Amino acid sequence: MNDTVRLTEEQAELFATWFHSLADPTRMRILNLLASGEHEMNVGDIVAALGLKQSTTSHHLKVLHDVGFVLRRREGTQTYHSVNRSCLERFPTAADMVMGRFRARSEAVSPGWLAG
């Protein structure tokens, strides 16, 4: 009996946006910077750390925010960005599900989007 979890249309759409958002090297670098740091960063911090243009950085942060990988917090005129740990913790399971490696009866804890 095959106990591989099949993707629903909703899951497939969500995962497609995640993978699409990571299909750009600049976004990968930004996400890595935020994930490996211990504090929030504003656009200027990211520009300085990665040597990017401000407009480019803002665009890529928006894409990462729109899919849930990055969180924003406004303070006065500044916007601070941090990695969404909850989303990143689900990402490896999403990849396993897409590749048919996630088993319904595995010992791994089911991600929150899987029913029962």
Side-chain angles (χ1 to χ4, degrees), residues 36-109:
S36 59
E38 297 195 15
H39 56 83
E40 301 169 313
M41 300 179 82
N42 64 29
V43 172
D45 297 332
I46 297 168
V47 166
L50 298 179
L52 303 170
K53 292 181 180 179
Q54 185 275 329
S55 60
T56 299
T57 303
S58 294
H59 166 74
H60 290 301
L61 283 167
K62 180 183 180 334
V63 171
L64 292 169
H65 175 267
D66 288 349
V67 298
F69 282 134
V70 171
L71 301 173
R72 293 181 189 159
R73 180 182 65 82
R74 293 203 43 85
E75 185 175 301
T77 60
Q78 291 291 320
T79 301
Y80 292 91
H81 306 274
S82 61
V83 71
N84 182 349
R85 300 266 176 220
S86 175
C87 187
L88 292 187
E89 288 169 5
R90 291 178 173 182
F91 186 74
T93 303
D96 284 340
M97 288 174 66
V98 169
M99 300 308 293
R101 293 190 301 238
F102 188 84
R103 304 286 179 206
R105 293 183 209 135
S106 72
E107 303 234 351
V109 176

